[in-house]
PDB file of all heavy atoms in Angstrom:
ATOM      1  N   ASN A1347       2.586  -9.766 -38.631  1.00 55.00           N
ATOM      2  CA  ASN A1347       2.369  -8.338 -38.301  1.00 55.00           C
ATOM      3  C   ASN A1347       1.631  -8.202 -36.895  1.00 55.00           C
ATOM      4  O   ASN A1347       1.188  -7.127 -36.576  1.00 55.00           O
ATOM      5  CB  ASN A1347       1.552  -7.700 -39.394  1.00 55.00           C
ATOM      6  CG  ASN A1347       0.156  -8.302 -39.431  1.00 55.00           C
ATOM      7  OD1 ASN A1347      -0.288  -9.422 -38.853  1.00 55.00           O
ATOM      8  ND2 ASN A1347      -0.601  -7.878 -40.441  1.00 55.00           N
ATOM      9  N   ALA A1348       1.579  -9.357 -36.167  1.00 56.00           N
ATOM     10  CA  ALA A1348       1.030  -9.293 -34.906  1.00 56.00           C
ATOM     11  C   ALA A1348      -0.359  -8.736 -34.813  1.00 56.00           C
ATOM     12  O   ALA A1348      -0.715  -7.960 -33.895  1.00 56.00           O
ATOM     13  CB  ALA A1348       1.954  -8.537 -33.843  1.00 56.00           C
ATOM     14  N   SER A1349      -1.162  -9.014 -35.824  1.00 56.00           N
ATOM     15  CA  SER A1349      -2.494  -8.361 -35.902  1.00 56.00           C
ATOM     16  C   SER A1349      -3.618  -9.263 -35.488  1.00 56.00           C
ATOM     17  O   SER A1349      -4.736  -8.788 -35.321  1.00 56.00           O
ATOM     18  CB  SER A1349      -2.703  -7.967 -37.352  1.00 56.00           C
ATOM     19  OG  SER A1349      -2.656  -9.208 -38.213  1.00 56.00           O
ATOM     20  N   SER A1350      -3.364 -10.577 -35.241  1.00 59.00           N
ATOM     21  CA  SER A1350      -4.404 -11.444 -34.742  1.00 59.00           C
ATOM     22  C   SER A1350      -3.903 -12.463 -33.771  1.00 59.00           C
ATOM     23  O   SER A1350      -2.720 -12.524 -33.548  1.00 59.00           O
ATOM     24  CB  SER A1350      -5.037 -12.139 -35.927  1.00 59.00           C
ATOM     25  OG  SER A1350      -4.077 -12.898 -36.669  1.00 59.00           O
ATOM     26  N   GLN A1351      -4.867 -13.273 -33.109  1.00 76.00           N
ATOM     27  CA  GLN A1351      -4.377 -14.084 -32.004  1.00 76.00           C
ATOM     28  C   GLN A1351      -4.324 -15.435 -32.278  1.00 76.00           C
ATOM     29  O   GLN A1351      -3.471 -16.136 -31.919  1.00 76.00           O
ATOM     30  CB  GLN A1351      -5.451 -13.844 -30.882  1.00 76.00           C
ATOM     31  CG  GLN A1351      -5.563 -12.417 -30.525  1.00 76.00           C
ATOM     32  CD  GLN A1351      -6.828 -12.200 -29.612  1.00 76.00           C
ATOM     33  OE1 GLN A1351      -7.556 -13.165 -29.326  1.00 76.00           O
ATOM     34  NE2 GLN A1351      -7.069 -10.924 -29.315  1.00 76.00           N
ATOM     35  N   MET A1352      -5.225 -16.117 -33.147  1.00 84.00           N
ATOM     36  CA  MET A1352      -5.232 -17.492 -33.457  1.00 84.00           C
ATOM     37  C   MET A1352      -5.355 -17.740 -34.945  1.00 84.00           C
ATOM     38  O   MET A1352      -5.783 -16.951 -35.729  1.00 84.00           O
ATOM     39  CB  MET A1352      -6.486 -18.176 -32.762  1.00 84.00           C
ATOM     40  CG  MET A1352      -6.458 -18.065 -31.278  1.00 84.00           C
ATOM     41  SD  MET A1352      -7.843 -18.700 -30.448  1.00 84.00           S
ATOM     42  CE  MET A1352      -7.431 -20.473 -30.783  1.00 84.00           C
ATOM     43  N   CYS A1353      -4.789 -18.949 -35.313  1.00 86.00           N
ATOM     44  CA  CYS A1353      -4.699 -19.188 -36.704  1.00 86.00           C
ATOM     45  C   CYS A1353      -5.094 -20.701 -37.010  1.00 86.00           C
ATOM     46  O   CYS A1353      -5.126 -21.451 -36.060  1.00 86.00           O
ATOM     47  CB  CYS A1353      -3.264 -18.830 -37.343  1.00 86.00           C
ATOM     48  SG  CYS A1353      -2.008 -19.857 -36.598  1.00 86.00           S
ATOM     49  N   ASN A1354      -5.326 -21.004 -38.314  1.00 87.00           N
ATOM     50  CA  ASN A1354      -5.616 -22.430 -38.658  1.00 87.00           C
ATOM     51  C   ASN A1354      -6.853 -22.961 -37.972  1.00 87.00           C
ATOM     52  O   ASN A1354      -6.822 -24.142 -37.731  1.00 87.00           O
ATOM     53  CB  ASN A1354      -4.467 -23.288 -38.515  1.00 87.00           C
ATOM     54  CG  ASN A1354      -3.300 -22.832 -39.518  1.00 87.00           C
ATOM     55  OD1 ASN A1354      -3.522 -22.586 -40.613  1.00 87.00           O
ATOM     56  ND2 ASN A1354      -2.148 -22.827 -39.018  1.00 87.00           N
ATOM     57  N   VAL A1355      -7.812 -22.104 -37.595  1.00 87.00           N
ATOM     58  CA  VAL A1355      -9.010 -22.619 -36.959  1.00 87.00           C
ATOM     59  C   VAL A1355      -9.851 -23.476 -37.832  1.00 87.00           C
ATOM     60  O   VAL A1355     -10.126 -23.158 -39.035  1.00 87.00           O
ATOM     61  CB  VAL A1355      -9.887 -21.366 -36.534  1.00 87.00           C
ATOM     62  CG1 VAL A1355     -11.241 -21.890 -35.909  1.00 87.00           C
ATOM     63  CG2 VAL A1355      -9.099 -20.560 -35.460  1.00 87.00           C
ATOM     64  N   GLY A1356     -10.213 -24.675 -37.386  1.00 85.00           N
ATOM     65  CA  GLY A1356     -10.891 -25.662 -38.231  1.00 85.00           C
ATOM     66  C   GLY A1356     -10.229 -26.580 -39.042  1.00 85.00           C
ATOM     67  O   GLY A1356     -10.683 -27.482 -39.507  1.00 85.00           O
ATOM     68  N   THR A1357      -8.874 -26.358 -39.163  1.00 86.00           N
ATOM     69  CA  THR A1357      -8.026 -27.260 -40.005  1.00 86.00           C
ATOM     70  C   THR A1357      -6.823 -27.825 -39.142  1.00 86.00           C
ATOM     71  O   THR A1357      -6.293 -28.826 -39.655  1.00 86.00           O
ATOM     72  CB  THR A1357      -7.483 -26.472 -41.188  1.00 86.00           C
ATOM     73  OG1 THR A1357      -6.692 -25.332 -40.708  1.00 86.00           O
ATOM     74  CG2 THR A1357      -8.520 -25.942 -42.162  1.00 86.00           C
ATOM     75  N   PHE A1358      -6.518 -27.213 -38.160  1.00 89.00           N
ATOM     76  CA  PHE A1358      -5.309 -27.731 -37.302  1.00 89.00           C
ATOM     77  C   PHE A1358      -5.823 -27.924 -35.805  1.00 89.00           C
ATOM     78  O   PHE A1358      -6.632 -27.110 -35.435  1.00 89.00           O
ATOM     79  CB  PHE A1358      -4.120 -26.751 -37.387  1.00 89.00           C
ATOM     80  CG  PHE A1358      -3.309 -26.730 -38.514  1.00 89.00           C
ATOM     81  CD1 PHE A1358      -3.833 -26.366 -39.730  1.00 89.00           C
ATOM     82  CD2 PHE A1358      -2.007 -27.095 -38.459  1.00 89.00           C
ATOM     83  CE1 PHE A1358      -3.015 -26.352 -40.929  1.00 89.00           C
ATOM     84  CE2 PHE A1358      -1.165 -27.046 -39.686  1.00 89.00           C
ATOM     85  CZ  PHE A1358      -1.718 -26.733 -40.805  1.00 89.00           C
ATOM     86  N   GLY A1359      -5.194 -28.861 -35.236  1.00 93.00           N
ATOM     87  CA  GLY A1359      -5.290 -28.972 -33.772  1.00 93.00           C
ATOM     88  C   GLY A1359      -3.983 -29.428 -33.175  1.00 93.00           C
ATOM     89  O   GLY A1359      -3.373 -30.233 -33.591  1.00 93.00           O
ATOM     90  N   TRP A1360      -3.594 -28.695 -32.169  1.00 96.00           N
ATOM     91  CA  TRP A1360      -2.224 -29.080 -31.427  1.00 96.00           C
ATOM     92  C   TRP A1360      -2.573 -29.500 -30.083  1.00 96.00           C
ATOM     93  O   TRP A1360      -3.391 -28.942 -29.335  1.00 96.00           O
ATOM     94  CB  TRP A1360      -1.357 -27.879 -31.424  1.00 96.00           C
ATOM     95  CG  TRP A1360      -0.736 -27.479 -32.671  1.00 96.00           C
ATOM     96  CD1 TRP A1360      -0.865 -28.161 -33.914  1.00 96.00           C
ATOM     97  CD2 TRP A1360       0.291 -26.419 -32.940  1.00 96.00           C
ATOM     98  NE1 TRP A1360      -0.069 -27.478 -34.861  1.00 96.00           N
ATOM     99  CE2 TRP A1360       0.569 -26.447 -34.297  1.00 96.00           C
ATOM    100  CE3 TRP A1360       0.833 -25.504 -32.116  1.00 96.00           C
ATOM    101  CZ2 TRP A1360       1.654 -25.586 -34.888  1.00 96.00           C
ATOM    102  CZ3 TRP A1360       1.747 -24.661 -32.726  1.00 96.00           C
ATOM    103  CH2 TRP A1360       2.109 -24.742 -34.051  1.00 96.00           C
ATOM    104  N   LEU A1361      -1.889 -30.556 -29.510  1.00 98.00           N
ATOM    105  CA  LEU A1361      -1.987 -31.036 -28.194  1.00 98.00           C
ATOM    106  C   LEU A1361      -0.595 -31.089 -27.639  1.00 98.00           C
ATOM    107  O   LEU A1361       0.339 -31.720 -28.054  1.00 98.00           O
ATOM    108  CB  LEU A1361      -2.536 -32.447 -28.289  1.00 98.00           C
ATOM    109  CG  LEU A1361      -4.053 -32.482 -28.624  1.00 98.00           C
ATOM    110  CD1 LEU A1361      -4.521 -34.041 -28.803  1.00 98.00           C
ATOM    111  CD2 LEU A1361      -4.935 -31.732 -27.575  1.00 98.00           C
ATOM    112  N   TRP A1362      -0.456 -30.307 -26.523  1.00 98.00           N
ATOM    113  CA  TRP A1362       0.865 -30.190 -25.900  1.00 98.00           C
ATOM    114  C   TRP A1362       1.192 -31.494 -25.214  1.00 98.00           C
ATOM    115  O   TRP A1362       0.240 -32.217 -24.715  1.00 98.00           O
ATOM    116  CB  TRP A1362       0.897 -29.112 -24.882  1.00 98.00           C
ATOM    117  CG  TRP A1362       1.224 -27.778 -25.277  1.00 98.00           C
ATOM    118  CD1 TRP A1362       0.383 -26.609 -24.969  1.00 98.00           C
ATOM    119  CD2 TRP A1362       2.188 -27.193 -26.129  1.00 98.00           C
ATOM    120  NE1 TRP A1362       0.905 -25.497 -25.578  1.00 98.00           N
ATOM    121  CE2 TRP A1362       2.095 -25.850 -26.189  1.00 98.00           C
ATOM    122  CE3 TRP A1362       3.342 -27.793 -26.690  1.00 98.00           C
ATOM    123  CZ2 TRP A1362       2.831 -24.978 -26.950  1.00 98.00           C
ATOM    124  CZ3 TRP A1362       4.145 -26.959 -27.434  1.00 98.00           C
ATOM    125  CH2 TRP A1362       4.082 -25.631 -27.479  1.00 98.00           C
ATOM    126  N   THR A1363       2.466 -31.846 -25.046  1.00 98.00           N
ATOM    127  CA  THR A1363       2.885 -32.929 -24.124  1.00 98.00           C
ATOM    128  C   THR A1363       3.849 -32.243 -23.152  1.00 98.00           C
ATOM    129  O   THR A1363       4.231 -30.986 -23.309  1.00 98.00           O
ATOM    130  CB  THR A1363       3.803 -34.020 -24.840  1.00 98.00           C
ATOM    131  OG1 THR A1363       4.895 -33.456 -25.287  1.00 98.00           O
ATOM    132  CG2 THR A1363       2.966 -34.530 -26.077  1.00 98.00           C
ATOM    133  N   ARG A1364       4.172 -32.927 -22.134  1.00 98.00           N
ATOM    134  CA  ARG A1364       5.121 -32.228 -21.156  1.00 98.00           C
ATOM    135  C   ARG A1364       6.599 -32.432 -21.505  1.00 98.00           C
ATOM    136  O   ARG A1364       7.489 -31.836 -21.028  1.00 98.00           O
ATOM    137  CB  ARG A1364       4.978 -32.887 -19.665  1.00 98.00           C
ATOM    138  CG  ARG A1364       5.383 -34.312 -19.651  1.00 98.00           C
ATOM    139  CD  ARG A1364       5.233 -34.840 -18.157  1.00 98.00           C
ATOM    140  NE  ARG A1364       5.688 -36.136 -18.009  1.00 98.00           N
ATOM    141  CZ  ARG A1364       4.796 -37.065 -17.539  1.00 98.00           C
ATOM    142  NH1 ARG A1364       3.501 -36.757 -17.240  1.00 98.00           N
ATOM    143  NH2 ARG A1364       5.248 -38.288 -17.287  1.00 98.00           N
ATOM    144  N   THR A1365       6.845 -33.205 -22.617  1.00 97.00           N
ATOM    145  CA  THR A1365       8.101 -33.348 -23.182  1.00 97.00           C
ATOM    146  C   THR A1365       8.717 -32.203 -23.952  1.00 97.00           C
ATOM    147  O   THR A1365       7.891 -31.523 -24.545  1.00 97.00           O
ATOM    148  CB  THR A1365       8.183 -34.686 -24.122  1.00 97.00           C
ATOM    149  OG1 THR A1365       7.467 -35.741 -23.492  1.00 97.00           O
ATOM    150  CG2 THR A1365       9.471 -35.046 -24.494  1.00 97.00           C
ATOM    151  N   THR A1366       9.954 -31.953 -23.874  1.00 95.00           N
ATOM    152  CA  THR A1366      10.587 -30.800 -24.508  1.00 95.00           C
ATOM    153  C   THR A1366      11.562 -31.227 -25.569  1.00 95.00           C
ATOM    154  O   THR A1366      11.991 -32.467 -25.538  1.00 95.00           O
ATOM    155  CB  THR A1366      11.283 -29.857 -23.610  1.00 95.00           C
ATOM    156  OG1 THR A1366      12.327 -30.686 -22.855  1.00 95.00           O
ATOM    157  CG2 THR A1366      10.305 -29.312 -22.535  1.00 95.00           C
ATOM    158  N   GLY A1367      11.955 -30.396 -26.469  1.00 92.00           N
ATOM    159  CA  GLY A1367      12.900 -30.656 -27.520  1.00 92.00           C
ATOM    160  C   GLY A1367      13.645 -29.353 -27.830  1.00 92.00           C
ATOM    161  O   GLY A1367      13.300 -28.281 -27.417  1.00 92.00           O
ATOM    162  N   ALA A1368      14.629 -29.485 -28.755  1.00 88.00           N
ATOM    163  CA  ALA A1368      15.371 -28.421 -29.159  1.00 88.00           C
ATOM    164  C   ALA A1368      14.641 -27.600 -30.315  1.00 88.00           C
ATOM    165  O   ALA A1368      14.053 -28.263 -31.174  1.00 88.00           O
ATOM    166  CB  ALA A1368      16.789 -28.721 -29.570  1.00 88.00           C
ATOM    167  N   TYR A1369      14.662 -26.284 -30.288  1.00 81.00           N
ATOM    168  CA  TYR A1369      13.934 -25.574 -31.254  1.00 81.00           C
ATOM    169  C   TYR A1369      14.976 -24.509 -31.750  1.00 81.00           C
ATOM    170  O   TYR A1369      15.578 -23.658 -30.975  1.00 81.00           O
ATOM    171  CB  TYR A1369      12.749 -24.748 -30.784  1.00 81.00           C
ATOM    172  CG  TYR A1369      11.921 -24.163 -31.885  1.00 81.00           C
ATOM    173  CD1 TYR A1369      11.022 -24.892 -32.640  1.00 81.00           C
ATOM    174  CD2 TYR A1369      12.077 -22.828 -32.125  1.00 81.00           C
ATOM    175  CE1 TYR A1369      10.283 -24.340 -33.638  1.00 81.00           C
ATOM    176  CE2 TYR A1369      11.433 -22.194 -33.202  1.00 81.00           C
ATOM    177  CZ  TYR A1369      10.459 -23.045 -33.986  1.00 81.00           C
ATOM    178  OH  TYR A1369       9.706 -22.413 -34.944  1.00 81.00           O
ATOM    179  N   ASN A1370      15.241 -24.506 -33.124  1.00 75.00           N
ATOM    180  CA  ASN A1370      16.169 -23.587 -33.701  1.00 75.00           C
ATOM    181  C   ASN A1370      17.622 -23.764 -33.155  1.00 75.00           C
ATOM    182  O   ASN A1370      18.354 -22.729 -33.026  1.00 75.00           O
ATOM    183  CB  ASN A1370      15.751 -22.068 -33.531  1.00 75.00           C
ATOM    184  CG  ASN A1370      14.622 -21.728 -34.552  1.00 75.00           C
ATOM    185  OD1 ASN A1370      14.299 -22.513 -35.416  1.00 75.00           O
ATOM    186  ND2 ASN A1370      14.055 -20.565 -34.341  1.00 75.00           N
ATOM    187  N   ASN A1371      17.874 -24.890 -32.599  1.00 71.00           N
ATOM    188  CA  ASN A1371      19.148 -25.150 -31.963  1.00 71.00           C
ATOM    189  C   ASN A1371      19.594 -24.346 -30.884  1.00 71.00           C
ATOM    190  O   ASN A1371      20.731 -24.177 -30.534  1.00 71.00           O
ATOM    191  CB  ASN A1371      20.267 -25.164 -33.147  1.00 71.00           C
ATOM    192  CG  ASN A1371      20.118 -26.232 -34.222  1.00 71.00           C
ATOM    193  OD1 ASN A1371      19.715 -27.360 -33.902  1.00 71.00           O
ATOM    194  ND2 ASN A1371      20.196 -25.794 -35.366  1.00 71.00           N
TER     195      ASN A1371
END
Side-chain angles (χ1 to χ4, degrees):
N1347 59 1
S1349 61
S1350 59
Q1351 302 164 7
M1352 298 181 66
C1353 63
N1354 294 319
V1355 176
T1357 58
F1358 283 63
W1360 284 2
L1361 293 170
W1362 281 127
T1363 73
R1364 67 173 180 243
T1365 308
T1366 60
Y1369 189 83
N1370 285 349
N1371 298 318

